[in-house]
Amino acid sequence: MDALEVMMHKERTYPLFQPIFVAGKHEVVGYEVLPRLRIEEHEYDLTDFFYDSLVPEEYRLEIDRYIRKQALEIQKTRAHMWLFYNINPSLYDGSPGDRLISELAEESTEMILSISLSDETVKWYTLRHFVQFLQNSQIRVAMKETKNAKITMMDIVQVKPDIIKIDIGDVERENVNVHRELLHTFSIAAGKIGASLLFQNIKGFQQLSDAWRQGALYLQGDYLALPHPTMIDNNQEKLVKNFRSFLNYEREKKRASLQFSRFLSERMKKLISGRVVHMDSDTLAQYVGRSLQDICFRVYICDGEGFQLSGNAVKHQSDQWEIYEENRRQNWSWRPFFLENIVQMHVDGGGILSELYMDLHRHEQIRTYSYPAGDGRYIFVDIPFSYLYERDFLG
């Protein structure tokens, strides 16, 4: 929209409020302020207006302040609620930032400032001093990821925000499984620096489920509540119902995994006994593979330091097993949880079933069952997704 047209209709700009829910209590904890302009029957989203470098800064600051004052006035009716307010940090360098801090101090309100990159601010690390300035003024800061400005682990470490806002809508637009792994990485990184995760743009049941599984403290999106001119408080029952469904599903998954792990353990005990001590590692891998060929497609043997002692015993479509040499002497200790699992198997004497993960060779999700051979060697049995998919709660 033309900047002059926005300025001419300044009195028709206003905020909408989209509720943000806190996962622990299943209730609204605050609202994101969304800038709008209405001309006749048309409502316009003004978000891009504030990030358009062709629009004079004084125009953008004037409209931003006008909408913010309206939001703060409405917020007085719900004084215990937070406001998540989006700002273009490039507009608040120097004296505009000082005025913003003074205004918020006078209001004595809980406002969380959400920042994201723009054409004027293209690198996150350039904002770390601005973020520290806000935090030193007792204002919490949220880092907002956008489609064109992703957040990396280094960005999080350098900026150290209080909240990380992730657009979970990207899960539907990109490789779903890879994106979920990235979400998990964000969850770990946030925990390391003491930040909370806010998953926004939740538009359906599956996206809410993904957010819940990744440890989101805050949840937002049209699936939970639409933006509204007033601060509505609803959908607590919907959230509780969905979370109960997630819990039931996860409980069944855990139960199925434990039962499957016990089943594999019993079969491995019958296979191993004392007969494998005199087998070389290639023979052992092929022996286990042929004995479990109804379940697995690949078997290999490692020592306690993570070095692969055997080649990969791989099943062909004809049910013939062949040894492939490419990973012999490969060390797998760099894998997450690998050494932890080795130690656990050594201490407990039992097997471990992994979660689903992406196999680099097959480009599909698999699970691995690992089991101690009892002579310092460890057996790794790779199970294809086709087998897991046919069994409830394993795939």
Side-chain angles (χ1 to χ4, degrees):
M1 172 170 281
D2 182 74
L4 288 176
E5 190 171 8
V6 174
M7 299 305 294
M8 288 172 57
H9 296 92
K10 171 183 169 181
E11 72 284 354
R12 297 182 185 177
T13 61
Y14 58 93
L16 292 182
F17 301 91
Q18 185 164 34
I20 294 173
F21 293 82
V22 62
K25 294 184 177 180
H26 309 146
E27 63 187 21
V28 175
V29 70
Y31 300 84
E32 181 175 12
V33 179
L34 306 173
R36 297 291 188 264
L37 166 65
R38 180 172 293 279
I39 301 177
E40 296 178 350
E41 299 302 318
H42 299 284
E43 184 178 72
Y44 299 94
D45 184 344
L46 291 182
T47 301
D48 291 341
F49 171 82
F50 300 107
Y51 289 89
D52 188 347
S53 59
L54 298 178
V55 178
E57 287 190 5
E58 58 268 27
Y59 287 7
R60 291 183 280 169
L61 284 168
E62 182 177 342
I63 298 299
D64 193 34
R65 186 169 186 270
Y66 185 76
I67 293 176
R68 185 170 63 251
K69 287 184 73 66
Q70 292 181 69
L72 288 169
E73 190 62 31
I74 295 172
Q75 195 256 358
K76 290 177 180 178
T77 64
R78 304 290 298 276
H80 61 290
M81 293 291 180
W82 304 342
L83 283 185
F84 288 74
Y85 197 86
N86 302 296
I87 64 169
N88 180 348
S90 67
L91 296 177
Y92 288 95
D93 188 25
S95 56
D98 293 332
R99 286 195 295 272
L100 175 64
I101 298 297
S102 297
E103 288 178 15
L104 296 182
E106 291 175 4
E107 295 290 343
S108 299
T109 188
E110 180 72 47
M111 179 173 282
I112 299 169
L113 294 181
S114 177
I115 61 173
S116 56
L117 298 185
S118 67
D119 293 338
E120 299 161 290
T121 309
V122 296
K123 296 293 183 182
W124 279 109
Y125 73 86
T126 63
L127 296 176
R128 55 187 171 183
H129 295 302
F130 179 67
V131 170
Q132 290 172 1
F133 168 65
L134 294 174
Q135 291 172 332
N136 289 338
S137 302
Q138 308 304 311
I139 296 175
R140 287 195 288 170
V141 178
M143 244 176 129
K144 183 178 181 181
E145 182 183 64
T146 65
K147 186 176 182 181
N148 298 320
K150 300 299 183 182
I151 297 174
T152 68
M153 298 302 103
M154 184 58 69
D155 296 330
I156 294 173
V157 171
Q158 290 181 331
V159 177
K160 293 184 174 63
D162 301 287
I163 296 172
I164 303 169
K165 297 176 72 174
I166 303 297
D167 187 345
I168 202 169
D170 286 340
V171 172
E172 299 300 323
R173 296 191 290 268
E174 301 178 7
N175 186 303
V176 174
N177 292 323
V178 171
H179 198 92
R180 285 174 181 162
E181 292 300 322
L182 290 175
L183 293 182
H184 181 63
T185 305
F186 276 127
S187 178
I188 295 173
K192 293 291 185 182
I193 66 167
S196 302
L197 289 180
L198 190 162
F199 282 75
Q200 59 183 141
N201 202 20
I202 297 172
K203 294 183 178 179
F205 178 86
Q206 185 57 55
Q207 291 176 338
L208 180 60
S209 175
D210 288 337
W212 178 77
R213 286 187 174 86
Q214 300 307 333
L217 178 59
Y218 303 116
L219 305 159
Q220 178 191 21
D222 292 354
Y223 181 67
L224 299 175
L226 294 169
H228 196 271
T230 60
M231 294 182 171
I232 59 172
D233 186 359
N234 62 0
N235 269 0
Q236 182 176 4
E237 291 182 5
K238 182 176 185 178
L239 200 58
V240 171
K241 181 180 179 181
N242 282 323
F243 277 18
R244 185 174 293 118
S245 175
F246 302 155
L247 285 168
N248 290 337
Y249 180 78
E250 289 298 318
R251 188 181 295 113
E252 291 302 319
K253 278 185 62 178
K254 295 296 183 185
R255 181 180 291 114
S257 291
L258 287 171
Q259 291 174 345
F260 185 50
S261 185
R262 291 195 188 100
F263 165 74
L264 291 173
S265 177
E266 290 302 317
R267 290 192 62 171
M268 290 296 289
K269 285 179 183 177
K270 293 177 182 178
L271 291 178
I272 300 305
S273 61
R275 72 188 76 175
V276 304
V277 176
H278 303 294
M279 291 184 184
D280 64 67
S281 294
D282 284 350
T283 302
L284 175 58
Q286 288 186 307
Y287 166 68
V288 172
R290 292 192 183 99
S291 302
L292 298 178
Q293 66 179 5
D294 58 317
I295 295 174
C296 66
F297 71 91
R298 183 172 60 210
V299 179
Y300 56 95
I301 313 298
C302 291
D303 65 16
E305 295 181 342
F307 287 98
Q308 186 166 326
L309 302 177
S310 71
N312 287 337
V314 179
K315 182 176 71 171
H316 296 291
Q317 290 184 346
S318 60
D319 288 343
Q320 297 299 311
W321 286 79
E322 184 176 350
I323 293 290
Y324 289 84
E325 296 290 332
E326 65 270 20
N327 288 329
R328 191 186 299 274
R329 300 307 300 168
Q330 171 80 38
N331 187 279
W332 299 109
S333 61
W334 56 269
R335 282 182 168 177
F337 311 115
F338 188 92
L339 288 180
E340 179 183 337
N341 289 347
I342 290 287
V343 172
Q344 184 176 335
M345 286 188 288
H346 177 73
V347 173
D348 296 342
I352 298 174
L353 179 65
S354 76
E355 297 293 332
L356 280 169
Y357 67 95
M358 186 64 65
D359 181 70
L360 298 179
H361 294 288
R362 291 170 68 98
H363 301 290
E364 71 172 42
Q365 289 193 306
I366 66 171
R367 298 180 82 164
T368 296
Y369 183 73
S370 47
Y371 192 85
D375 57 357
R377 294 182 293 179
Y378 298 85
I379 304 166
F380 293 83
V381 178
D382 289 338
I383 306 165
F385 188 77
S386 57
Y387 178 90
L388 300 168
Y389 181 77
E390 293 175 355
R391 285 145 184 88
D392 291 341
F393 302 106
L394 289 181

